[in-house]
PDB file of all heavy atoms in Angstrom:
ATOM      1  N   GLY A 131     -16.952   6.981 -12.949  1.00 87.00           N
ATOM      2  CA  GLY A 131     -17.624   6.772 -11.683  1.00 87.00           C
ATOM      3  C   GLY A 131     -17.305   5.353 -11.178  1.00 87.00           C
ATOM      4  O   GLY A 131     -16.351   4.649 -11.462  1.00 87.00           O
ATOM      5  N   SER A 132     -18.156   4.845 -10.289  1.00 93.00           N
ATOM      6  CA  SER A 132     -18.331   3.587  -9.705  1.00 93.00           C
ATOM      7  C   SER A 132     -17.757   3.526  -8.247  1.00 93.00           C
ATOM      8  O   SER A 132     -18.020   2.551  -7.516  1.00 93.00           O
ATOM      9  CB  SER A 132     -17.652   2.489 -10.582  1.00 93.00           C
ATOM     10  OG  SER A 132     -16.276   2.612 -10.656  1.00 93.00           O
ATOM     11  N   ARG A 133     -16.963   4.456  -7.869  1.00 97.00           N
ATOM     12  CA  ARG A 133     -16.564   4.486  -6.467  1.00 97.00           C
ATOM     13  C   ARG A 133     -17.591   5.098  -5.571  1.00 97.00           C
ATOM     14  O   ARG A 133     -17.435   4.830  -4.340  1.00 97.00           O
ATOM     15  CB  ARG A 133     -15.229   5.175  -6.440  1.00 97.00           C
ATOM     16  CG  ARG A 133     -14.045   4.503  -7.011  1.00 97.00           C
ATOM     17  CD  ARG A 133     -12.807   5.437  -7.142  1.00 97.00           C
ATOM     18  NE  ARG A 133     -11.534   4.734  -7.498  1.00 97.00           N
ATOM     19  CZ  ARG A 133     -10.483   5.308  -7.957  1.00 97.00           C
ATOM     20  NH1 ARG A 133     -10.336   6.639  -8.108  1.00 97.00           N
ATOM     21  NH2 ARG A 133      -9.378   4.592  -8.327  1.00 97.00           N
ATOM     22  N   ALA A 134     -18.529   5.829  -6.071  1.00 97.00           N
ATOM     23  CA  ALA A 134     -19.610   6.404  -5.260  1.00 97.00           C
ATOM     24  C   ALA A 134     -20.747   5.629  -5.223  1.00 97.00           C
ATOM     25  O   ALA A 134     -21.349   5.115  -6.176  1.00 97.00           O
ATOM     26  CB  ALA A 134     -19.885   7.770  -5.939  1.00 97.00           C
ATOM     27  N   LEU A 135     -21.285   5.345  -4.014  1.00 97.00           N
ATOM     28  CA  LEU A 135     -22.363   4.337  -3.753  1.00 97.00           C
ATOM     29  C   LEU A 135     -23.567   5.199  -3.249  1.00 97.00           C
ATOM     30  O   LEU A 135     -23.459   5.994  -2.423  1.00 97.00           O
ATOM     31  CB  LEU A 135     -21.894   3.274  -2.760  1.00 97.00           C
ATOM     32  CG  LEU A 135     -20.675   2.495  -3.356  1.00 97.00           C
ATOM     33  CD1 LEU A 135     -20.222   1.600  -2.158  1.00 97.00           C
ATOM     34  CD2 LEU A 135     -21.137   1.545  -4.418  1.00 97.00           C
ATOM     35  N   ASP A 136     -24.780   4.728  -3.676  1.00 98.00           N
ATOM     36  CA  ASP A 136     -26.044   5.220  -3.287  1.00 98.00           C
ATOM     37  C   ASP A 136     -26.819   4.256  -2.409  1.00 98.00           C
ATOM     38  O   ASP A 136     -26.618   2.969  -2.626  1.00 98.00           O
ATOM     39  CB  ASP A 136     -26.799   5.688  -4.495  1.00 98.00           C
ATOM     40  CG  ASP A 136     -28.080   6.366  -4.261  1.00 98.00           C
ATOM     41  OD1 ASP A 136     -28.325   6.930  -3.222  1.00 98.00           O
ATOM     42  OD2 ASP A 136     -29.052   6.213  -5.070  1.00 98.00           O
ATOM     43  N   HIS A 137     -27.773   4.619  -1.687  1.00 98.00           N
ATOM     44  CA  HIS A 137     -28.535   3.761  -0.772  1.00 98.00           C
ATOM     45  C   HIS A 137     -29.942   3.401  -1.408  1.00 98.00           C
ATOM     46  O   HIS A 137     -30.576   4.206  -2.086  1.00 98.00           O
ATOM     47  CB  HIS A 137     -28.860   4.550   0.560  1.00 98.00           C
ATOM     48  CG  HIS A 137     -27.608   4.810   1.263  1.00 98.00           C
ATOM     49  ND1 HIS A 137     -26.962   3.930   2.089  1.00 98.00           N
ATOM     50  CD2 HIS A 137     -26.771   5.808   1.172  1.00 98.00           C
ATOM     51  CE1 HIS A 137     -25.764   4.412   2.517  1.00 98.00           C
ATOM     52  NE2 HIS A 137     -25.725   5.733   1.990  1.00 98.00           N
ATOM     53  N   ASP A 138     -30.219   2.134  -1.245  1.00 98.00           N
ATOM     54  CA  ASP A 138     -31.594   1.711  -1.597  1.00 98.00           C
ATOM     55  C   ASP A 138     -32.601   2.227  -0.662  1.00 98.00           C
ATOM     56  O   ASP A 138     -32.271   2.801   0.384  1.00 98.00           O
ATOM     57  CB  ASP A 138     -31.647   0.132  -1.728  1.00 98.00           C
ATOM     58  CG  ASP A 138     -30.967  -0.530  -2.767  1.00 98.00           C
ATOM     59  OD1 ASP A 138     -30.307   0.289  -3.536  1.00 98.00           O
ATOM     60  OD2 ASP A 138     -30.933  -1.743  -2.910  1.00 98.00           O
ATOM     61  N   LEU A 139     -33.940   2.301  -1.068  1.00 98.00           N
ATOM     62  CA  LEU A 139     -34.877   2.754  -0.226  1.00 98.00           C
ATOM     63  C   LEU A 139     -35.046   1.950   1.121  1.00 98.00           C
ATOM     64  O   LEU A 139     -34.840   0.765   1.170  1.00 98.00           O
ATOM     65  CB  LEU A 139     -36.316   2.720  -0.950  1.00 98.00           C
ATOM     66  CG  LEU A 139     -36.367   3.745  -2.103  1.00 98.00           C
ATOM     67  CD1 LEU A 139     -37.671   3.571  -2.949  1.00 98.00           C
ATOM     68  CD2 LEU A 139     -36.322   5.173  -1.679  1.00 98.00           C
ATOM     69  N   PHE A 140     -35.460   2.623   2.163  1.00 98.00           N
ATOM     70  CA  PHE A 140     -35.679   2.052   3.382  1.00 98.00           C
ATOM     71  C   PHE A 140     -37.164   2.373   3.856  1.00 98.00           C
ATOM     72  O   PHE A 140     -37.681   3.420   3.709  1.00 98.00           O
ATOM     73  CB  PHE A 140     -34.727   2.571   4.463  1.00 98.00           C
ATOM     74  CG  PHE A 140     -34.946   1.873   5.897  1.00 98.00           C
ATOM     75  CD1 PHE A 140     -34.277   0.711   6.154  1.00 98.00           C
ATOM     76  CD2 PHE A 140     -35.699   2.445   6.778  1.00 98.00           C
ATOM     77  CE1 PHE A 140     -34.469   0.108   7.438  1.00 98.00           C
ATOM     78  CE2 PHE A 140     -35.912   1.807   7.982  1.00 98.00           C
ATOM     79  CZ  PHE A 140     -35.282   0.705   8.299  1.00 98.00           C
ATOM     80  N   ASP A 141     -37.923   1.315   4.435  1.00 98.00           N
ATOM     81  CA  ASP A 141     -39.186   1.477   4.823  1.00 98.00           C
ATOM     82  C   ASP A 141     -39.078   1.851   6.476  1.00 98.00           C
ATOM     83  O   ASP A 141     -38.829   0.972   7.227  1.00 98.00           O
ATOM     84  CB  ASP A 141     -40.034   0.191   4.823  1.00 98.00           C
ATOM     85  CG  ASP A 141     -40.111  -0.218   3.295  1.00 98.00           C
ATOM     86  OD1 ASP A 141     -39.916   0.496   2.412  1.00 98.00           O
ATOM     87  OD2 ASP A 141     -40.397  -1.563   3.070  1.00 98.00           O
ATOM     88  N   LEU A 142     -39.457   3.130   6.695  1.00 98.00           N
ATOM     89  CA  LEU A 142     -39.401   3.603   8.053  1.00 98.00           C
ATOM     90  C   LEU A 142     -40.239   2.847   9.094  1.00 98.00           C
ATOM     91  O   LEU A 142     -39.865   2.746  10.246  1.00 98.00           O
ATOM     92  CB  LEU A 142     -39.655   5.200   8.077  1.00 98.00           C
ATOM     93  CG  LEU A 142     -38.507   6.021   7.542  1.00 98.00           C
ATOM     94  CD1 LEU A 142     -39.029   7.400   7.374  1.00 98.00           C
ATOM     95  CD2 LEU A 142     -37.314   5.993   8.410  1.00 98.00           C
ATOM     96  N   PRO A 143     -41.450   2.296   8.767  1.00 98.00           N
ATOM     97  CA  PRO A 143     -42.203   1.627   9.713  1.00 98.00           C
ATOM     98  C   PRO A 143     -41.391   0.424  10.380  1.00 98.00           C
ATOM     99  O   PRO A 143     -41.742   0.013  11.386  1.00 98.00           O
ATOM    100  CB  PRO A 143     -43.373   1.065   8.940  1.00 98.00           C
ATOM    101  CG  PRO A 143     -43.635   2.095   7.814  1.00 98.00           C
ATOM    102  CD  PRO A 143     -42.187   2.552   7.389  1.00 98.00           C
ATOM    103  N   GLU A 144     -40.272  -0.145   9.613  1.00 98.00           N
ATOM    104  CA  GLU A 144     -39.543  -1.145  10.260  1.00 98.00           C
ATOM    105  C   GLU A 144     -38.823  -0.716  11.566  1.00 98.00           C
ATOM    106  O   GLU A 144     -38.496  -1.547  12.336  1.00 98.00           O
ATOM    107  CB  GLU A 144     -38.421  -1.622   9.269  1.00 98.00           C
ATOM    108  CG  GLU A 144     -39.008  -2.371   8.013  1.00 98.00           C
ATOM    109  CD  GLU A 144     -37.949  -2.650   7.057  1.00 98.00           C
ATOM    110  OE1 GLU A 144     -36.756  -2.870   7.491  1.00 98.00           O
ATOM    111  OE2 GLU A 144     -38.143  -2.921   5.882  1.00 98.00           O
ATOM    112  N   LEU A 145     -38.712   0.664  11.797  1.00 98.00           N
ATOM    113  CA  LEU A 145     -38.133   1.171  12.964  1.00 98.00           C
ATOM    114  C   LEU A 145     -39.053   1.367  14.110  1.00 98.00           C
ATOM    115  O   LEU A 145     -38.588   1.801  15.246  1.00 98.00           O
ATOM    116  CB  LEU A 145     -37.293   2.419  12.641  1.00 98.00           C
ATOM    117  CG  LEU A 145     -35.949   2.265  12.010  1.00 98.00           C
ATOM    118  CD1 LEU A 145     -35.384   3.599  11.581  1.00 98.00           C
ATOM    119  CD2 LEU A 145     -35.004   1.500  12.943  1.00 98.00           C
ATOM    120  N   GLY A 146     -40.256   1.438  13.882  1.00 98.00           N
ATOM    121  CA  GLY A 146     -41.307   1.633  14.880  1.00 98.00           C
ATOM    122  C   GLY A 146     -41.171   3.093  15.421  1.00 98.00           C
ATOM    123  O   GLY A 146     -40.937   3.981  14.566  1.00 98.00           O
ATOM    124  N   ASP A 147     -41.241   3.235  16.637  1.00 98.00           N
ATOM    125  CA  ASP A 147     -41.165   4.579  17.337  1.00 98.00           C
ATOM    126  C   ASP A 147     -39.796   5.225  17.042  1.00 98.00           C
ATOM    127  O   ASP A 147     -39.720   6.499  17.121  1.00 98.00           O
ATOM    128  CB  ASP A 147     -41.439   4.598  18.827  1.00 98.00           C
ATOM    129  CG  ASP A 147     -42.929   4.109  19.057  1.00 98.00           C
ATOM    130  OD1 ASP A 147     -43.667   4.223  18.147  1.00 98.00           O
ATOM    131  OD2 ASP A 147     -43.120   3.708  20.263  1.00 98.00           O
ATOM    132  N   TRP A 148     -38.786   4.562  16.809  1.00 98.00           N
ATOM    133  CA  TRP A 148     -37.495   5.006  16.650  1.00 98.00           C
ATOM    134  C   TRP A 148     -37.307   5.879  15.404  1.00 98.00           C
ATOM    135  O   TRP A 148     -36.540   6.750  15.274  1.00 98.00           O
ATOM    136  CB  TRP A 148     -36.375   3.916  16.716  1.00 98.00           C
ATOM    137  CG  TRP A 148     -36.032   3.396  18.054  1.00 98.00           C
ATOM    138  CD1 TRP A 148     -36.601   2.329  18.676  1.00 98.00           C
ATOM    139  CD2 TRP A 148     -35.106   4.073  18.992  1.00 98.00           C
ATOM    140  NE1 TRP A 148     -35.923   2.233  19.901  1.00 98.00           N
ATOM    141  CE2 TRP A 148     -35.246   3.207  20.194  1.00 98.00           C
ATOM    142  CE3 TRP A 148     -34.348   5.134  18.884  1.00 98.00           C
ATOM    143  CZ2 TRP A 148     -34.420   3.539  21.302  1.00 98.00           C
ATOM    144  CZ3 TRP A 148     -33.486   5.415  20.064  1.00 98.00           C
ATOM    145  CH2 TRP A 148     -33.610   4.726  21.209  1.00 98.00           C
ATOM    146  N   ALA A 149     -38.119   5.623  14.346  1.00 98.00           N
ATOM    147  CA  ALA A 149     -38.098   6.358  13.133  1.00 98.00           C
ATOM    148  C   ALA A 149     -38.166   7.907  13.397  1.00 98.00           C
ATOM    149  O   ALA A 149     -37.388   8.719  12.787  1.00 98.00           O
ATOM    150  CB  ALA A 149     -39.036   5.883  12.151  1.00 98.00           C
ATOM    151  N   ALA A 150     -38.960   8.332  14.375  1.00 98.00           N
ATOM    152  CA  ALA A 150     -39.284   9.643  14.641  1.00 98.00           C
ATOM    153  C   ALA A 150     -38.066  10.364  15.357  1.00 98.00           C
ATOM    154  O   ALA A 150     -38.057  11.627  15.399  1.00 98.00           O
ATOM    155  CB  ALA A 150     -40.438   9.828  15.518  1.00 98.00           C
ATOM    156  N   LYS A 151     -37.116   9.520  15.722  1.00 98.00           N
ATOM    157  CA  LYS A 151     -35.883  10.051  16.425  1.00 98.00           C
ATOM    158  C   LYS A 151     -34.774  10.406  15.497  1.00 98.00           C
ATOM    159  O   LYS A 151     -33.770  10.863  15.935  1.00 98.00           O
ATOM    160  CB  LYS A 151     -35.429   8.957  17.438  1.00 98.00           C
ATOM    161  CG  LYS A 151     -36.251   8.649  18.449  1.00 98.00           C
ATOM    162  CD  LYS A 151     -36.473   9.725  19.599  1.00 98.00           C
ATOM    163  CE  LYS A 151     -37.288   9.241  20.740  1.00 98.00           C
ATOM    164  NZ  LYS A 151     -37.569  10.475  21.776  1.00 98.00           N
ATOM    165  N   ILE A 152     -34.927  10.061  14.144  1.00 98.00           N
ATOM    166  CA  ILE A 152     -33.850  10.437  13.217  1.00 98.00           C
ATOM    167  C   ILE A 152     -34.005  11.923  12.886  1.00 98.00           C
ATOM    168  O   ILE A 152     -35.093  12.453  12.719  1.00 98.00           O
ATOM    169  CB  ILE A 152     -34.018   9.572  11.901  1.00 98.00           C
ATOM    170  CG1 ILE A 152     -33.798   8.224  12.198  1.00 98.00           C
ATOM    171  CG2 ILE A 152     -33.131  10.078  10.939  1.00 98.00           C
ATOM    172  CD1 ILE A 152     -34.117   7.186  11.026  1.00 98.00           C
ATOM    173  N   TYR A 153     -32.715  12.572  12.796  1.00 98.00           N
ATOM    174  CA  TYR A 153     -32.705  14.072  12.667  1.00 98.00           C
ATOM    175  C   TYR A 153     -33.358  14.398  11.373  1.00 98.00           C
ATOM    176  O   TYR A 153     -33.193  13.849  10.231  1.00 98.00           O
ATOM    177  CB  TYR A 153     -31.298  14.455  12.527  1.00 98.00           C
ATOM    178  CG  TYR A 153     -31.088  15.984  12.771  1.00 98.00           C
ATOM    179  CD1 TYR A 153     -30.871  16.425  14.143  1.00 98.00           C
ATOM    180  CD2 TYR A 153     -31.319  16.919  11.816  1.00 98.00           C
ATOM    181  CE1 TYR A 153     -30.736  17.720  14.431  1.00 98.00           C
ATOM    182  CE2 TYR A 153     -31.126  18.250  12.132  1.00 98.00           C
ATOM    183  CZ  TYR A 153     -30.816  18.662  13.473  1.00 98.00           C
ATOM    184  OH  TYR A 153     -30.791  20.047  13.676  1.00 98.00           O
ATOM    185  N   ALA A 154     -34.317  15.462  11.457  1.00 96.00           N
ATOM    186  CA  ALA A 154     -35.082  16.053  10.257  1.00 96.00           C
ATOM    187  C   ALA A 154     -35.851  14.984   9.335  1.00 96.00           C
ATOM    188  O   ALA A 154     -36.017  15.230   8.179  1.00 96.00           O
ATOM    189  CB  ALA A 154     -34.042  16.842   9.324  1.00 96.00           C
ATOM    190  N   ILE A 155     -36.265  13.789  10.086  1.00 97.00           N
ATOM    191  CA  ILE A 155     -36.989  12.873   9.347  1.00 97.00           C
ATOM    192  C   ILE A 155     -38.426  13.361   8.916  1.00 97.00           C
ATOM    193  O   ILE A 155     -38.961  12.812   8.099  1.00 97.00           O
ATOM    194  CB  ILE A 155     -37.177  11.490  10.217  1.00 97.00           C
ATOM    195  CG1 ILE A 155     -37.435  10.401   9.324  1.00 97.00           C
ATOM    196  CG2 ILE A 155     -38.156  11.782  11.301  1.00 97.00           C
ATOM    197  CD1 ILE A 155     -36.373   9.902   8.517  1.00 97.00           C
ATOM    198  N   GLU A 156     -38.833  14.480   9.467  1.00 96.00           N
ATOM    199  CA  GLU A 156     -40.075  15.132   9.032  1.00 96.00           C
ATOM    200  C   GLU A 156     -40.090  15.649   7.561  1.00 96.00           C
ATOM    201  O   GLU A 156     -41.076  15.912   7.016  1.00 96.00           O
ATOM    202  CB  GLU A 156     -40.490  16.355   9.940  1.00 96.00           C
ATOM    203  CG  GLU A 156     -40.652  15.930  11.410  1.00 96.00           C
ATOM    204  CD  GLU A 156     -39.395  15.884  12.206  1.00 96.00           C
ATOM    205  OE1 GLU A 156     -38.236  16.214  11.659  1.00 96.00           O
ATOM    206  OE2 GLU A 156     -39.495  15.480  13.322  1.00 96.00           O
TER     207      GLU A 156
END
Side-chain angles (χ1 to χ4, degrees):
S132 68
R133 289 167 169 168
L135 300 168
D136 182 30
H137 299 272
D138 287 1
L139 294 173
F140 181 86
D141 297 343
L142 286 171
E144 292 180 20
L145 281 174
D147 293 343
W148 281 96
K151 298 286 188 186
I152 294 173
Y153 200 93
I155 200 66
E156 299 82 3

